[in-house]
Amino acid sequence: SQADLFEDARVVICPEDDEDATARVEALWQSLGARTERMRAHEHDRSVATTSHLPYVVALSLAELGTADPDALRAAGPQWNDVTKRASFDPQVMAAVSGKNGYLPDRLRELSARLLDLAETLERDDEALHRFAANVSEKIR
């Protein structure tokens, strides 16, 4: 138990038709120190498809790729653990939830297309990754 467990945590509330019930749920989370945000259920599902479920599936894919190559893991360092950590999440929970997100297949296709474009660009221009990394890094700061 930790008194400040939800302090400054982000909690998304997907309101139903009962505004009073939604307000009570919101007040409960706020009383625990959480920052609440209201979002329609479909907006929430689309968002977590990108920010939670896609990273989980990517981690699974990377872990599978790495473990399929006996030599790959011989040189693995801390970054490998950072990137594949999500793959160790309990599949009874994470795979079950992620697999039911209807937005996930489209996000996977979008990521696949971006990765293929990047691979083709890198074959032509070995400085492309630097520019791509700098651009993305600037956006997430």
Side-chain angles (χ1 to χ4, degrees):
S1 171
Q2 186 178 332
D4 62 349
L5 181 63
F6 298 109
E7 193 66 40
D8 208 32
R10 180 178 302 165
V11 174
V12 175
I13 298 170
C14 300
E16 296 293 327
D17 294 333
D18 187 342
E19 175 57 34
D20 186 52
T22 300
R24 286 195 316 264
V25 168
E26 193 168 38
L28 170 69
W29 280 110
Q30 290 172 351
S31 74
L32 297 172
R35 293 178 290 125
T36 60
E37 182 170 336
R38 292 186 184 195
M39 211 181 263
R40 297 196 186 284
H42 72 90
E43 293 170 332
H44 171 269
D45 291 352
R46 187 179 64 232
S47 176
V48 297
T50 302
T51 61
S52 178
H53 304 155
L54 183 62
Y56 173 66
V57 174
V58 168
L60 288 173
S61 300
L62 287 170
E64 191 275 333
L65 183 65
T67 58
D69 178 355
D71 290 331
L73 297 183
R74 291 177 57 208
Q79 188 170 3
W80 172 256
N81 295 333
D82 292 345
V83 171
T84 59
K85 183 177 183 177
R86 286 179 174 252
S88 65
F89 288 5
D90 184 354
Q92 294 287 346
V93 176
M94 198 62 188
V97 171
S98 298
K100 291 183 190 300
N101 188 318
Y103 292 96
L104 183 57
D106 284 341
R107 293 298 188 196
L108 281 165
R109 287 184 195 93
E110 288 176 38
L111 178 61
S112 296
R114 288 174 186 220
L115 290 172
L116 286 172
D117 286 347
L118 182 57
E120 291 170 4
T121 300
L122 288 174
E123 288 175 335
R124 295 185 311 270
D125 178 1
D126 60 357
E127 290 295 317
L129 185 58
H130 182 270
R131 289 190 305 277
F132 178 69
N135 184 37
V136 172
S137 177
E138 189 65 32
K139 289 178 182 178
I140 62 173
R141 283 191 194 151

